[in-house]
Amino acid sequence: MDQGLIPRRYAKALYMVAAENKTDSLMYSRLNTLAEAFAAEPQLGKTMANPFISAADKSALLFTAAHTSAADAPELVRFFALLEENGRMAMVRDIALAYLGIYRREHRIFKVDVVSAAPMQPQTRERLESLIAAQIPDGTMEYSFSVDPGLLGGFTVSIDNQRLDASVKNELKQLRLKLLSNK
């Protein structure tokens, strides 16, 4: 997802400061937790955009969502103050996502989303992880596994912007297209 120019600029500045202070991985962890909170609770984004909620309340809410405190994250305190000062609090989710992208690129971390028709057995999961690791030997993988019965069987694997679809649903779709093209 493209977060836009402004969030990317803020994220890059935050990454540069965090890298300089050797807190980039800690910031990554906190912003990853924050991004997950935005995904789990859509109301959080509306709250950040609400002009009637004070900056202090928004910051407190963001610290809670990131599972940290102002005392533990002075860089975030300054960063949230900068966002508030510039009227950018509504962009905090997009900035967090952009930071995660920058950090992953710099550290060769690949986000791998696996969706299967049924829960994967541990040995199948391990085999799939080893096959993926063999394809990207100098990278680190962050796996996310989920179930979608609509696939009918098989699985899909998405690594950043690439997708492998080994589902029965896709096979049926391809067969249908082939039959239609032979008319």
Side-chain angles (χ1 to χ4, degrees), residues 20-91:
E20 186 177 297
N21 294 331
K22 308 256 188 284
T23 58
D24 54 328
S25 61
L26 182 61
M27 187 68 67
Y28 175 77
S29 174
R30 289 176 175 150
L31 292 180
N32 197 28
T33 303
L34 184 61
E36 288 171 357
F38 272 98
E41 187 53 59
Q43 190 64 31
L44 187 55
K46 293 176 184 173
T47 302
M48 290 301 113
N50 188 334
F52 298 108
I53 297 176
S54 73
D57 288 343
K58 288 179 184 179
S59 290
L61 184 59
L62 290 173
F63 280 111
T64 301
H67 297 288
T68 191
S69 68
D72 292 336
E75 288 172 342
L76 276 180
V77 172
R78 291 189 301 274
F79 189 69
F80 292 157
L82 176 70
L83 293 179
E84 181 59 36
E85 180 182 313
N86 293 329
R88 305 286 193 203
M89 285 300 267
M91 295 182 169

Side-chain angles (χ1 to χ4, degrees), residues 90-159:
M91 295 182 169
V92 72
R93 175 190 167 270
D94 291 336
I95 293 168
L97 292 173
Y99 182 95
L100 298 176
I102 292 167
Y103 184 89
R104 286 183 183 124
R105 233 181 350 272
E106 291 295 319
H107 295 274
R108 292 205 37 83
I109 298 173
F110 297 90
K111 190 165 173 36
V112 180
D113 296 314
V114 180
V115 181
S116 57
M120 281 191 168
Q121 298 297 319
Q123 60 270 34
T124 305
R125 186 181 281 205
E126 289 171 14
R127 184 166 180 244
L128 182 61
E129 288 177 4
S130 67
L131 287 170
I132 292 169
Q135 296 300 312
I136 310 171
D138 58 339
T140 303
M141 307 305 149
E142 283 184 353
Y143 289 96
S144 162
F145 290 89
S146 60
V147 175
D148 178 6
L151 295 179
L152 304 177
F155 59 90
T156 64
V157 178
S158 300
I159 303 174

